[in-house]
Amino acid sequence: CGTLMGGVIISEINIHKCNSISALWRYCGLDVIVNDDGTSEGRSRKKHHLEPKTYTNSEGEIVDTVGITFNPFLKTKLVGVLGSSFIKLGDDYREIYDNHKHWLENHPKHSEKTKGHRHNMAVRFMVKEFLADLWTKWRTLEGLEVRPRYAEEKLGIVHHDKAA
C-alpha cells in the first residue's frame, strides 16, 4: 500500500466506529447483500440495496429518503486502485487473489459466470482480506477491542492462520 493510498485509507476510515471487520467491509461497500430469494450479491447502488435515511435539509426540515450505505469514493479506490496494485505487485495478497480465483473457476456454483465476473469477485475477496488484516492491526495499535471474524465468533468456523 503506497503513501497516497495509505492517506486515502486513513482519511476515509474511522477505525473507532468500525467495531468489527464486517462493519468495516460494510462501510467500504464490500459486504454481501442477501436478497429475498436467498441469493447473495455484492453491495451496489441498485434500487433494492438502498436503505431509508432521515436527514435535515438546508431549510431545516426533516426529510425521509433512501440512499447508499457505503463510501463510494473509498470503494472505488480500494477495488479499482489498490486491488490492481496488489495483483501487479505479486505479494501475499496476489496469492490470495490467485487461490480464490482458482477456487471460483473450479466451483460448479460459479461455472456460468464470465471470466471477468470471477476476476472481480477474486479482487473483491483479496481487498476484503487486506481490510481484515488492516482492521486487526489498526485496532491493536489504537488499543481498541479486536474481535474475531463473524464466522469464528458466531458460527465457530476457524480457518487456518495465514502465518502458519
Side-chain angles (χ1 to χ4, degrees), residues 79 97 104 114-125:
V79 176
Y97 165 83
L104 290 168
T114 65
K115 200 172 182 181
H117 190 166
R118 289 191 301 262
H119 162 77
N120 291 339
M121 291 171 72
V123 169
R124 191 170 153 273
F125 181 83

Side-chain angles (χ1 to χ4, degrees), residues 143-157:
L144 300 169
E145 178 189 13
V146 177
R147 297 169 40 201
R149 290 179 181 217
Y150 178 87
E152 184 177 338
E153 184 178 36
K154 304 289 185 188
L155 305 176
I157 301 170

Side-chain angles (χ1 to χ4, degrees), residues 36-124:
D36 294 336
D37 63 358
T39 60
S40 61
E41 59 188 349
R43 186 173 294 278
S44 69
R45 295 175 185 261
K46 292 178 182 173
K47 187 175 181 178
H48 61 281
H49 291 184
L50 304 179
E51 295 189 5
K53 294 181 177 186
T54 302
Y55 74 98
T56 305
N57 66 15
S58 59
E59 286 83 39
E61 301 166 338
I62 296 176
V63 179
D64 291 325
T65 186
V66 292
I68 59 176
T69 60
F70 62 94
N71 181 328
F73 170 75
L74 185 58
K75 181 177 182 177
T76 300
K77 292 296 181 189
L78 290 172
V79 176
V81 179
L82 186 64
S84 299
S85 297
F86 282 159
I87 291 171
K88 292 173 189 167
L89 196 60
D91 65 355
D92 294 341
Y93 292 106
R94 171 62 191 253
E95 186 177 343
I96 289 169
Y97 165 83
D98 288 337
N99 290 340
H100 194 68
K101 188 173 178 193
H102 177 76
W103 179 83
L104 290 168
E105 289 170 344
N106 292 291
H107 195 285
K109 180 180 174 184
H110 302 291
S111 63
E112 298 297 317
K113 293 184 172 87
T114 65
K115 200 172 182 181
H117 190 166
R118 289 191 301 262
H119 162 77
N120 291 339
M121 291 171 72
V123 169
R124 191 170 153 273

